Amino acid sequence: MYSFDGGSYRLSSFDGGGFTLGLILCAAGLVVLLGATFAVARRLGKHSVVDVAWGLGFVAVALISLFASAGSGTPGRRYLITAMVVVWGVRLAWHIGRRNAGHGEDPRYAAMLEKVPDDGRNAYALRMIYGLQGLLVLFISLPVQVAQYCRAFKLSGPMLHLPPGVRVNGFGIHADERGLGLIAALGVVVWAIGLFFEAVGDWQLKAFKADPTNKGMIMDRGLWRYTRHPNYFGDACVWWGIWLVAAETGVGAFTVLSPIVMTVFLTKGSGAALTEKRMAGRPGFDEYVARTSAFIPWPPRRA
């Protein structure tokens, strides 16, 4: 990919072959991870353990891509985007693991599996819970994977026209690899805001539920005063921030469907929509909905 910039050229390169191999390795890694999770779920008698594997699946993809892309992408971007995913994924897995410890099956999975005959439940769960989660992780993580195989250069020299196929060395043309820029910096800021909302929102909700005096009440304090789902809003921001870091490469911008799918999944899928369906009818919930933003943080509306 070439672009002219005042006497110099910008060149973006993408290792398609390396990416394809890395994609296969990531898929294989997810099969191993989710297969092991399925075995643990059968032993414990509950499939809710797959929720812990959600964050760990992204961590596995990021680390596999990092090692598989050695020598292909810009080192700084590779390490940055991997660190962003690992910090987010490990925190999420740790939080969900602690939250679910000592509890039985998640009502979502119980309702899904009760419609299936007993002798077919494990096969159904393997397809519709573990298989679907693996496909979602593989698709949503595309910005992470693509960014690992991208390099950007700034070419300068006496030649103002660089025909396709011309070798840089020996023609008086200098190639300077471009590092992280303003778009990547913006991505880190968006990611950090998202991680703050997700982590602090989870912590505030945990503290609220731990207080017996709050039993039967609606959480409307802290970040929950400004959005009904600070954790899901934060999750979406995390992945838009990761996409921005990838989009700066040029090729990474084409993975924009990944954060869109994640946002739809969080707002319309098993995230906010399912939570609100479960909360409907509780005392004070309608009033909370009437005054509080559904997703994007905003000052409460006056009654």
Side-chain angles (χ1 to χ4, degrees), residues 48 51 99 105-113 270-271 274 278:
S48 57
D51 292 340
R99 185 190 66 188
E105 182 63 281
D106 189 298
R108 295 172 299 162
Y109 302 130
M112 181 185 299
L113 295 173
S270 65
L274 195 60
R278 189 171 65 248

Side-chain angles (χ1 to χ4, degrees), residues 260-281:
I260 289 176
V261 167
M262 177 61 108
T263 304
V264 171
F265 180 71
L266 291 168
T267 55
K268 306 296 183 182
S270 65
L274 195 60
T275 300
E276 300 218 343
K277 183 178 180 181
R278 189 171 65 248
M279 295 289 293

Side-chain angles (χ1 to χ4, degrees), residues 120-201:
R121 286 186 179 179
N122 284 326
Y124 182 82
L126 197 58
R127 294 194 314 271
M128 300 306 297
I129 297 177
Y130 299 83
L132 182 59
Q133 177 161 306
L135 290 174
L136 280 171
V137 170
L138 199 62
F139 182 80
I140 293 171
S141 66
L142 281 176
V144 181
Q145 299 178 62
V146 169
Q148 306 269 18
Y149 297 91
C150 290
R151 299 188 95 119
F153 300 91
K154 187 172 184 179
L155 307 179
S156 60
M159 296 181 64
L160 293 181
H161 177 66
L162 185 64
V166 169
R167 294 176 60 85
V168 173
N169 294 335
F171 284 85
I173 300 174
H174 305 284
D176 298 315
E177 186 164 2
R178 297 171 61 208
L180 300 168
L182 292 177
I183 296 177
L186 176 61
V188 172
V189 171
V190 173
W191 172 87
I193 291 172
L195 190 66
F196 170 82
F197 268 86
E198 186 175 18
V200 173

Side-chain angles (χ1 to χ4, degrees), residues 19-255:
F19 166 76
T20 302
L21 177 60
L23 183 65
I24 294 172
L25 292 175
C26 288
L30 288 173
V31 168
V32 172
L33 173 65
L34 292 172
T37 305
F38 177 70
V40 172
R42 290 195 63 183
R43 185 177 182 83
L44 296 179
K46 61 178 185 178
H47 292 288
S48 57
V49 294
V50 75
D51 292 340
V52 177
W54 174 250
L56 295 181
F58 287 101
V59 171
V61 167
L63 291 176
I64 291 171
S65 298
L66 176 67
F67 289 111
S69 64
S72 293
T74 301
R77 194 179 312 276
R78 290 171 54 236
Y79 287 112
L80 172 63
I81 207 164
T82 299
M84 292 166 75
V85 175
V86 169
V87 170
W88 168 81
V90 169
R91 190 217 70 87
L92 182 63
W94 176 79
H95 166 73
I96 293 177
R98 291 192 63 187
R99 185 190 66 188
N100 291 353
H103 296 280
E105 182 63 281
D106 189 298
R108 295 172 299 162
Y109 302 130
M112 181 185 299
L113 295 173
E114 70 180 4
K115 304 173 185 177
V116 183
D118 291 345
D119 59 353
R121 286 186 179 179
N122 284 326
Y124 182 82
L126 197 58
R127 294 194 314 271
M128 300 306 297
I129 297 177
Y130 299 83
L132 182 59
Q133 177 161 306
L135 290 174
L136 280 171
V137 170
L138 199 62
F139 182 80
I140 293 171
S141 66
L142 281 176
V144 181
Q145 299 178 62
V146 169
Q148 306 269 18
Y149 297 91
C150 290
R151 299 188 95 119
F153 300 91
K154 187 172 184 179
L155 307 179
S156 60
M159 296 181 64
L160 293 181
H161 177 66
L162 185 64
V166 169
R167 294 176 60 85
V168 173
N169 294 335
F171 284 85
I173 300 174
H174 305 284
D176 298 315
E177 186 164 2
R178 297 171 61 208
L180 300 168
L182 292 177
I183 296 177
L186 176 61
V188 172
V189 171
V190 173
W191 172 87
I193 291 172
L195 190 66
F196 170 82
F197 268 86
E198 186 175 18
V200 173
D202 285 339
W203 173 75
Q204 289 177 339
L205 182 60
K206 179 184 176 182
F208 178 83
K209 289 182 174 181
D211 187 345
T213 62
N214 293 326
K215 187 176 178 60
M217 298 177 62
I218 300 296
M219 171 54 161
D220 60 354
R221 308 167 191 174
L223 296 178
W224 299 81
R225 183 172 183 263
Y226 303 98
T227 167
R228 302 201 295 271
H229 304 282
N231 48 352
Y232 295 140
F233 168 76
D235 211 342
C237 286
V238 162
W239 281 94
W240 279 106
I242 289 171
W243 174 77
L244 283 170
V245 174
E248 190 176 57
T249 65
V251 179
F254 292 101
T255 64

